[in-house]
Amino acid sequence: MTQHQNTQNTQVTVVGLGLMGRALAGAFVREGLDVTVWNRTASRADDLVAGGARRAGSVREAVETAGPDGLVVVCLTDYDAVREVLDPLGGLLDGRVLVNLTSGTSTVARETAARVAAAGGVYLDGAIMATPDGIGAADATVLLSGDFGAWTRHEKTLRLLGGRTDHIGDDHGLAALYEMGVLGLMWGILNGFLHGAALLGAAGVRAEAFAPVAKQGVATVAGWLDDYARRADAGDHGSPEATVETHLATMNHLVHESEALGVDTELPRLVRDLAERAVAAGHGGDEYSVMIDVFRKRVGTPS
């Protein structure tokens, strides 16, 4: 039995065919589902139609085609675009399950859930933790939050988008919060790597030579996360392996090295300044995990 034959529902409408939207629709088409697509620029559907999808002439037609038991997946530029597309549909959303995979904040996710509910629809908000070419792969993650009944009803269909697709809670804003957390992590890692590459570049070292060493460093830090998570949840920052003060001394080395090599110091100074807040608040002898209280604004908040 093929995977799509084992889904609970095989009628899907995809609204929005940017790079990610086309990838989402393509994952459903490859599994032989009955897929209807719509995009403001109709030509973006050409390849999907050639592969077996149905092109709708309007959003209303696309949603109607999904039927009351179908699944409507939306992936647009932002939530303003989502509202522009969905608000005119009114009661057409009544009873339908809408999965919004547009990136945005938890606040607008909850607002959109309320608007869909007011129209009689059922809403799931989602965050895609993959690039378009990774959609459908075993390691692709799509997080969904909102109505659990809608998730169980369409779980097998939604899991076609990635092997790590999962429902993470009833709060419609949770998926967006996870996405924001991961984005912050991503930029932290990328900016740290690029700053390090700039330092080494001042000595004539190519970034390609630094990359394997940096990857090992990232893996080492990743190994600390479970303990840091436990400490953060428990508020237990004692018995440190490395105190905030120890980290702070090394941060100063990074600032001075950057200055000496003519590399921008804004990033290392920001990291140092945050640690100095914790020390000033009396947490210099704690494990570095205490920095979560700086981010929570429980300690060291500037007046």
Side-chain angles (χ1 to χ4, degrees), residues 154-178:
H154 294 284
E155 175 182 355
K156 292 180 180 178
T157 298
L158 290 168
R159 285 193 185 277
L160 297 176
L161 299 178
R164 295 179 179 175
T165 299
D166 209 353
H167 182 271
I168 55 174
D170 293 331
D171 177 357
H172 293 94
L174 274 180
L177 281 173
Y178 269 83

Side-chain angles (χ1 to χ4, degrees), residues 192-205:
F193 168 71
L194 294 170
H195 184 271
L199 286 176
L200 287 160
V205 178

Side-chain angles (χ1 to χ4, degrees), residues 25 69 82 96 119 123 135 149 177 183 193 204 221 227 263 276 286:
D69 296 321
V82 172
R96 287 178 166 83
Y123 185 76
I135 292 297
L177 281 173
L183 286 173
F193 168 71
V221 174
D227 181 59
V263 173
E276 285 179 341
D286 288 335

